[in-house]
Every structure is written in C-alpha cells, then in structure tokens.
Amino acid sequence: MQSISATNIEYYQIITGYITELEIYDTHESYIQARKLAGYPDINLKLIGHLDLVFMENSIITNYSSMNKSDCPTSDVEQYVRFKLGDKVIEGTFCGVAFSEGNYVEVVVDQIEGGTYFAYALRQPAEHLLWLHPYATTGTEAHLNRSSPPKPLRLKALGGIGILIGILGVVQAFTQGSFVPLLLVFLGLMCLLPLRMFSNIQKEVNSGSTIANRIFATLGYANPKRFDITEEENLVINKLECLSQHYLESYEGPLTNSEDIIQEFIEKYKNQQSPEDTENDKLLKQFMRLQKDGMQWVYLYRSAPTIPNYITVIHTEDNETKLV
C-alpha cells in the first residue's frame, strides 16, 4: 500500500477552479473500491491526516449501537469525494458534502501516489465557507486557553457498569474457585472499550492538529498554530444566539419545549430578509439554509486572508472568469 507523500513539511499547495465530475462516497469501502476500478494505486487511509481518529469514531458508534441494540446510521461519519479542477484530479474527506459541480473553490492539497491530489481544506469564496479535513480545526497551541469537554453521560455510565461487572467477575471467580465468572471480567472490559476510545479521541483533539497548522499557514492565517476556526465562526453566530435567547424569553405561543421554540425561531430567521441585514447576517442565513444532517467540520468565515506569495497556487480556471 502507498502512503501520502510529504511535499513540504510546513505548507501544502493550493489548486483553484470550478468543480467538475464530482463523485461522493459515503463509506471508505466504496471509496477504495472506486479507486481500484479507476486504476489508482492503493493507499493506506489510516496514514492520511486524522482518518485514524475518524475510523475510531466509527468503531465507537458501531460498538455502542451493538451493545445497546439501538438504531445508528449505517454509513460512516465521513464522506469521500473525487472531482476535477481543470485536468487535476482531487480527492478528499469531508462530512455532509454540500458543494456541487460548477462551484468555484480554492482547495488546499498535497499530491499523493498516482499523481492525484488529496484535499485537506476546501474554501468556497462565494459562500464564505471553509470545509476542513476531520479534526483539523485548531492549531497545536490553540487549545491552551480552552477547557476539555466533559465525557457524555451515557459513556460514563457504561464505563461504571463495566467496572462493576469486572469486579463482580473477579469476586465470583475467587469465591467459587472457577474461571467461568472471569467471562464477566471480559464483558466488563468490553463495556470500558467505548470510553477508552472516546478518551483517546479527546486527547488527540485537545492537543490541536499539526494538519491544521499546515492548512492555516497555507491559507495565510496569522499565527496558524494558535488559530481556531470555531472562534472565527463564533464572531458571526453570536448575534444569532442573542436573538434566539430573546425570542425564547419573550415567547407566548403554544410550544412548551425550549428546544422546539428555538427551532421555530431558527426556521423563521433563516428565511427572513430584512433591509437591516448586515453582510454577516446574509452569510449566516445562507449557511443555515445550506445546512443538513451530517455536516461537520465546515465553518463560516467573515473574511479570508491573502494567500502568501510563497505558496504554490495552481489556477485551473480562466483568469477572466475567476471569482474574487
């Protein structure tokens, strides 16, 4: 199997142009199969970016669903894409893909074996959207002033049950003089597995991303190691949070659940047009209308920095029709 080639340890390249021949795959198996049919060499996806974390997340969902006999999505959390910009073949991993053929994009890429390019970020200037490789949202120093998110209550409960089952198995094995109760110990360890996997993911995420360092440096962000794209987006959506809270506090309609009331406000707000709307308001409403289930790691930005002149940029579009 082939792994990605590191063309530059600090920066990626950028390819710009209009999307053609877009193909979307909902699982890594279908993506790998499509690559084989297209005659591309094998690649080890676990060596690309943070796809090892993505596969771990898929395993957590599968294991949790199996243990609780609950309904969970059968497809992976990520999607794989392949499209062309000019004659350049671009591949990549995003979630809840909402860009389409004909869109003008600026794609942060690294060349891989076989001559194609793997995308680590895709910017849509017209929509002010930045699609990022999974978990590549913060630089390696951006986490220093941020607290760790708590573990989900269900995972904590599952971990506690696993510990109790394990202790019970050991006690029974000792008192009964039999190894059969040790099966309970094994079952307890299986209950602890999702908690352990979640902790590993959180540890990786909270330490920031070297992939994000390279993405933000390539796009021209100042202090890329300290940059957090979520903070940039929050500057746009803070107003929405204030408006939704005011709507909730002054609500006098038939709904009683606060989440339903907020959802009612969001549905109204995103379809409203007002002469008082700022550019940020218009961008936010456009983004809200675009959103769909499964969209992750895509962010709304206010303005894009200038791409540094030392970054290799391949323009595949006609300069006369390039969107600014």
Side-chain angles (χ1 to χ4, degrees), residues 55-126:
F55 296 151
M56 192 182 300
E57 181 177 346
N58 289 334
S59 296
I60 291 175
I61 294 173
T62 301
N63 290 336
Y64 184 83
S65 176
S66 177
M67 288 181 178
N68 292 272
K69 297 181 180 180
S70 59
D71 294 330
C72 280
T74 55
S75 61
D76 298 338
V77 297
E78 81 280 16
Q79 290 178 305
Y80 299 85
V81 298
R82 185 168 70 230
F83 57 88
K84 281 188 174 182
L85 295 180
D87 61 353
K88 307 296 183 183
V89 177
I90 313 294
E91 304 178 78
T93 306
F94 300 103
C95 296
V97 171
F99 48 83
S100 57
E101 291 198 20
N103 288 161
Y104 173 79
V105 294
E106 300 168 346
V107 190
V108 177
V109 301
D110 205 12
Q111 193 164 26
I112 60 177
E113 298 293 339
T116 65
Y117 295 84
F118 198 88
Y120 288 94
L122 182 149
R123 187 161 67 187
Q124 293 180 265

Side-chain angles (χ1 to χ4, degrees), residues 67-249:
M67 288 181 178
N68 292 272
K69 297 181 180 180
S70 59
D71 294 330
C72 280
T74 55
S75 61
D76 298 338
V77 297
E78 81 280 16
Q79 290 178 305
Y80 299 85
V81 298
R82 185 168 70 230
F83 57 88
K84 281 188 174 182
L85 295 180
D87 61 353
K88 307 296 183 183
V89 177
I90 313 294
E91 304 178 78
T93 306
F94 300 103
C95 296
V97 171
F99 48 83
S100 57
E101 291 198 20
N103 288 161
Y104 173 79
V105 294
E106 300 168 346
V107 190
V108 177
V109 301
D110 205 12
Q111 193 164 26
I112 60 177
E113 298 293 339
T116 65
Y117 295 84
F118 198 88
Y120 288 94
L122 182 149
R123 187 161 67 187
Q124 293 180 265
E127 292 79 14
H128 282 238
L129 293 182
L130 180 62
W131 298 79
L132 291 173
H133 182 80
Y135 297 110
T137 60
T138 61
T140 51
E141 297 178 4
H143 70 288
L144 297 178
N145 297 322
R146 190 174 66 242
S147 59
S148 300
K151 294 181 177 64
L153 182 58
R154 288 184 178 182
L155 279 182
K156 285 184 177 181
L158 190 61
I161 293 172
I163 293 173
L164 291 175
I165 291 175
I167 293 174
L168 179 61
V170 172
V171 171
Q172 288 190 359
F174 180 77
T175 57
Q176 296 178 15
S178 170
F179 289 104
V180 175
L182 290 179
L183 291 174
L184 289 174
V185 178
F186 175 75
L187 179 60
L189 291 174
M190 292 300 294
C191 289
L192 287 171
L193 183 60
L195 183 62
R196 176 63 178 173
M197 295 173 72
F198 178 84
S199 297
N200 287 342
I201 289 178
Q202 286 300 317
K203 182 178 179 181
E204 290 284 343
V205 172
N206 291 336
S207 63
S209 165
T210 56
I211 301 297
N213 289 350
R214 290 181 66 185
I215 292 172
F216 298 140
T218 302
L219 290 173
Y221 286 97
N223 300 318
K225 289 184 179 181
R226 289 189 172 271
F227 186 72
D228 183 344
I229 188 64
T230 61
E231 294 180 358
E232 167 76 9
E233 184 180 65
N234 286 341
L235 294 174
V236 179
I237 67 175
N238 280 344
K239 178 180 178 180
L240 176 64
E241 294 179 353
C242 293
L243 290 174
S244 61
Q245 185 61 35
H246 176 73
Y247 186 86
L248 178 62
E249 292 172 353

